[in-house]
């Protein structure tokens, strides 16, 4: 199959593209290689993908409409997996403009090409952050998401709405999936697991927000990739399908992808300590603007659609990340 994936130098996009390439698909990758975090890591991910002869690498910003048009014309994709975005809740407070351009304008350019090429299935990444101020747990796709708490969340919810309108007007099959705190090898340096591991190995303290009174539905990267691949074969072909995230008027669906087992931040830190073999020095901090105290995914729709539900234990996932980190940065075991 000919598949176009955006964000292939990023954490999730790299893993998705690698899985598809190993299965023998032709993958066209797009990534802007922004300096939001260490570009060396991004270039290394792309270099690994380039080892596959059926990988075509494009490095340009999603906002470049002409480059996007050229990539689609060359690829003629049968499936598009749109994973590229400006991520990060706290960074959206400091640099809001990058979220408007990358997430809104970039996604608009993808949607325009999907429309023009009549792509059979568009899959696009959203986030658990769209649930915002919702109090009802677990978060279900049928809940309203009208109160985002960060600009990042607001832009991702806006992309969901953009996609729904395109799906309705042009009858485009679109699946939007909401990720819940994805972690694992090759992860982003701005995420807690990466920062906690790096600081602890360097003998530095870690910042623990809301005094540790946080819970997250941590999702291991391999489980996420498996869910995406299974969902790729389940395009929403008509309006009003029975699952909770299905649109009543368009071939459009929203699906949560999470572990469905919230883990306290303190338990997560303990898992890191066990994997590292040394304690983390905690620097307790107040809640940061834009953060939420707890996330919890209802993944019954994912299971009903695919028969799959993420289940990797946090300790196993953290162990895998720490093993990768030690190998990549040449840090010997204690």
């Amino acid at each position: 199959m000919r598949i176009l994936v955006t964000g292939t130098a990023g954490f999730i996009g790299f893993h998705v593209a690698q899985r598809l390439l190993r299965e023998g698909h032709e993958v066209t990758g797009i990534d802007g290689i922004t300096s939001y975090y260490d570009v060396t890591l991004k270039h290394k991910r792309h270099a690994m993908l380039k080892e596959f002869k059926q990988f075509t690498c494009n490095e340009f910003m999603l906002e470049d409409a002409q480059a996007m048009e050229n990539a689609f014309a060359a690829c003629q994709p049968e499936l598009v997996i749109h994973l590229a975005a400006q991520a990060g809740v706290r960074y959206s407070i400091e640099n809001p403009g990058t979220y408007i351009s990358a997430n809104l304008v970039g996604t608009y350019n993808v949607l325009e090409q999907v429309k023009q090429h009549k792509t059979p299935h568009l899959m696009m990444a959203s986030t658990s952050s769209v649930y915002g101020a919702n109090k009802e747990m677990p978060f279900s796709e049928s809940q309203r998401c009208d109160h985002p708490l960060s600009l990042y969340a607001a832009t991702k919810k806006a992309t969901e709405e953009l996609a729904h309108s395109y799906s309705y007007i042009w009858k485009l099959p679109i699946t939007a999936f909401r990720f819940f705190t994805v972690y694992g090898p090759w992860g982003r340096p701005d995420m807690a697991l990466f920062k906690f591991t790096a600081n602890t190995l360097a003998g530095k303290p870690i910042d623990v927000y809301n005094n540790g009174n946080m819970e997250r539905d941590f999702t291991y990267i391999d489980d996420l990739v498996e869910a995406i691949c299974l969902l790729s074969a389940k395009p929403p072909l008509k309006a009003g399908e029975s699952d909770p995230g299905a649109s009543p008027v368009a071939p459009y669906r929203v699906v949560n992808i999470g572990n469905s087992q919230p883990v306290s931040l303190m338990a997560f830190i303990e898992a890191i300590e066990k994997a590292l073999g040394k304690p983390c020095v905690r620097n307790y901090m107040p809640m940061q603007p834009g953060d939420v105290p707890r996330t919890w995914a209802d993944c019954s729709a994912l299971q009903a659609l695919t028969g799959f539900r993420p289940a990797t234990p946090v300790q196993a996932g953290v162990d895998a990340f720490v093993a990768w980190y030690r190998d990549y940065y040449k840090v010997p075991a204690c």
Side-chain angles (χ1 to χ4, degrees):
M1 181 181 284
R2 299 183 306 276
I3 304 172
L4 186 147
V5 181
T6 70
T8 43
F11 168 41
I12 295 172
F14 161 70
H15 279 280
V16 170
Q18 189 178 61
R19 164 75 176 266
L20 295 171
L21 289 164
R22 284 173 174 167
E23 292 180 352
H25 298 288
E26 297 178 25
V27 176
T28 294
I30 298 173
D31 201 290
I33 316 290
T34 66
S35 58
Y36 171 57
Y37 62 80
D38 183 13
V39 296
T40 303
L41 196 60
K42 299 181 179 185
H43 285 304
K44 178 60 176 176
R45 296 185 188 121
H46 254 186
M48 292 177 67
L49 297 179
K50 289 176 184 177
E51 294 175 3
F52 293 87
K53 63 180 181 180
Q54 72 271 31
F55 179 68
T56 301
C57 180
N58 295 276
E59 295 184 356
F60 62 81
M61 299 296 286
L62 297 184
E63 297 93 315
D64 188 337
Q66 185 60 59
M68 186 73 72
E69 182 178 339
N70 294 343
F72 267 77
C75 175
Q76 295 294 319
E78 300 165 274
L79 170 67
V80 173
I81 306 177
H82 176 36
L83 299 168
Q86 177 58 61
V89 170
R90 298 184 188 102
Y91 189 66
S92 68
I93 298 172
E94 303 167 15
N95 293 277
T98 61
Y99 290 76
I100 301 302
S101 59
N103 297 357
L104 297 183
V105 177
T107 298
Y108 161 73
N109 286 338
V110 171
L111 287 165
E112 274 293 294
Q113 291 306 310
V114 166
K115 178 188 76 174
Q116 292 182 31
H117 289 268
K118 297 181 173 58
T119 305
H121 190 191
L122 166 63
M123 306 182 74
M124 53 182 284
S126 187
T127 171
S128 61
S129 296
V130 301
Y131 289 106
N134 286 16
K135 301 295 185 183
E136 183 180 347
M137 297 282 177
F139 293 144
S140 170
E141 299 92 341
S142 60
Q143 294 177 14
R144 295 184 65 88
C145 299
D146 297 333
H147 304 101
L149 298 180
S150 68
L151 181 67
Y152 167 62
T155 60
K156 296 303 282 185
K157 185 60 169 66
T159 62
E160 289 185 13
E161 304 298 345
L162 280 172
H164 183 271
S165 66
Y166 269 74
S167 176
Y168 172 72
I169 296 169
W170 288 287
K171 310 306 178 194
L172 304 175
I174 298 177
T175 299
F177 28 75
R178 293 173 178 165
F179 298 156
F180 282 72
T181 314
V182 186
Y183 72 104
W186 295 97
R188 293 195 342 243
D190 63 316
M191 299 294 285
L193 176 56
F194 202 114
K195 291 193 293 187
F196 290 178
T197 298
N199 281 20
T200 300
L201 287 173
K204 300 177 181 178
I206 62 172
D207 291 336
V208 181
Y209 292 105
N210 201 33
N211 297 306
N213 297 315
M214 309 270 278
E215 287 189 348
R216 289 289 182 270
D217 197 339
F218 293 100
T219 311
Y220 188 59
I221 183 63
D222 288 358
D223 287 340
L224 180 77
V225 172
E226 178 69 14
I228 291 172
C229 289
L230 291 171
L231 285 169
S232 71
K234 301 284 184 178
L237 299 178
K238 61 181 180 179
E241 294 187 321
S242 60
D243 51 283
S247 166
V249 297
Y252 175 90
R253 173 186 290 129
V254 175
V255 184
N256 286 339
I257 304 179
N259 220 46
S260 303
Q261 295 182 3
V263 174
S264 73
L265 179 55
M266 301 310 292
F268 190 63
I269 292 170
E270 289 169 4
I272 296 171
E273 291 175 324
K274 183 176 180 180
L276 291 174
K278 62 185 301 186
C280 300
V281 179
R282 298 159 172 78
N283 178 32
Y284 291 101
M285 306 276 286
M287 178 76 90
Q288 294 292 287
D291 265 354
V292 296
R294 191 183 191 207
T295 63
W296 180 6
D298 179 345
C299 288
S300 56
L302 172 65
Q303 187 167 28
L305 287 164
T306 67
F308 173 74
R309 183 186 289 263
T312 299
V314 162
Q315 188 65 62
V318 168
D319 288 348
F321 172 82
V322 169
W324 167 81
Y325 186 95
R326 288 189 183 280
D327 177 68
Y328 184 80
Y329 290 101
K330 310 303 179 190
V331 180
C334 299

